[in-house]
Amino acid sequence: MILVAEVDCFIYDSHSLKQKRSVIKRIITRLKNDYNIAVSEINHQDLWQRTQIGLVTISNDKVQAERVINQALKLIDSFPEIERGTTDLEWL
């Protein structure tokens, strides 16, 4: 089973694309290292206060896949410089 999460986020204290990329890179690195999931910025690359991050996990157990994605979302929420907005989950 494949679970995909598309997460819209706002970075209010970012005043340039360089600052935004610094925040996004730190979050993506932590997600990949801590949860062994595929992560990428998938939208709004040219906006400096908004981003959309895609998370993907594959598992033979639906409950395990949901657990991993939910833990990853909690990690995103733990960063004070970013606010998670709309999150869409989709099973493939």
Side-chain angles (χ1 to χ4, degrees):
M1 306 195 119
I2 302 170
L3 181 57
V4 177
E6 293 180 359
V7 183
D8 283 316
C9 298
F10 299 96
I11 309 166
Y12 295 112
D13 292 335
S14 175
H15 300 290
S16 70
L17 286 175
K18 186 175 181 179
Q19 285 180 324
K20 173 193 171 181
R21 287 187 188 111
S22 172
V23 171
I24 297 301
K25 183 177 180 179
R26 193 169 63 250
I27 292 170
I28 287 175
T29 300
R30 281 280 311 275
L31 288 167
K32 287 180 178 179
N33 291 341
D34 291 0
Y35 299 108
N36 194 27
I37 58 176
V39 185
S40 181
E41 183 178 18
I42 57 174
N43 205 350
H44 310 302
Q45 288 90 344
D46 57 341
L47 301 176
W48 45 270
Q49 287 189 319
R50 188 168 177 207
T51 188
Q52 187 175 47
I53 300 171
L55 314 171
V56 178
T57 189
I58 300 173
S59 177
N60 61 350
D61 181 14
K62 186 175 182 178
V63 173
Q64 176 62 21
E66 288 176 339
R67 184 178 306 124
V68 169
I69 291 295
N70 285 328
Q71 289 173 342
L73 295 174
K74 286 180 186 176
L75 178 66
I76 292 171
D77 292 338
S78 74
F79 285 86
E81 59 267 45
I82 195 166
E83 180 181 331
R84 184 165 55 100
T86 306
T87 301
D88 295 322
L89 298 175
E90 181 179 357
W91 289 100
L92 301 177

